[in-house]
Amino acid sequence: MANHKSSLKRIRQTKTRNEHNRYYGKTMRNAVRKLRAMTDKEEAMKLYPSVQKMLDKLAKTNVIHKNKAANLKSSLTKHIAKL
């Protein structure tokens, strides 16, 4: 167990940030799954901007890597184009 005041605070902060990042990471994965499962092009086109915005925000805050966000956006665009 940590002995210093600063290390105890660091543990609390790390736990809070980890929970926050896990929540938004899971939300992002569910949104991507939902979009990939769609078969209607019109609905997919309506949902895509919100998923794209979510990916950009998560990449900006380093929850996911910027290249991962770019790869996901690219693959989702291809999926929508195929519908």
Side-chain angles (χ1 to χ4, degrees), residues 8-69:
L8 292 170
K9 181 179 177 181
R10 179 64 55 207
I11 290 168
R12 289 195 308 270
Q13 285 178 329
T14 302
K15 184 179 179 221
T16 305
R17 288 187 183 129
N18 187 31
E19 289 172 2
H20 178 269
N21 290 343
R22 280 180 59 198
Y23 171 77
Y24 283 104
K26 187 69 170 177
T27 304
M28 178 264 308
R29 285 194 299 276
N30 287 338
V32 169
R33 277 192 206 111
K34 184 178 176 183
L35 188 63
R36 283 203 177 120
M38 285 188 172
T39 54
D40 183 27
K41 188 171 186 167
E42 288 297 318
E43 285 195 30
M45 293 278 280
K46 286 179 186 171
L47 183 64
Y48 180 70
S50 62
V51 174
Q52 183 179 13
K53 185 177 179 183
M54 185 187 305
L55 289 168
D56 287 336
K57 279 185 175 181
L58 293 177
K60 188 172 117 180
T61 56
N62 291 320
V63 176
I64 60 172
H65 195 274
K66 63 184 177 99
N67 290 353
K68 180 181 177 73

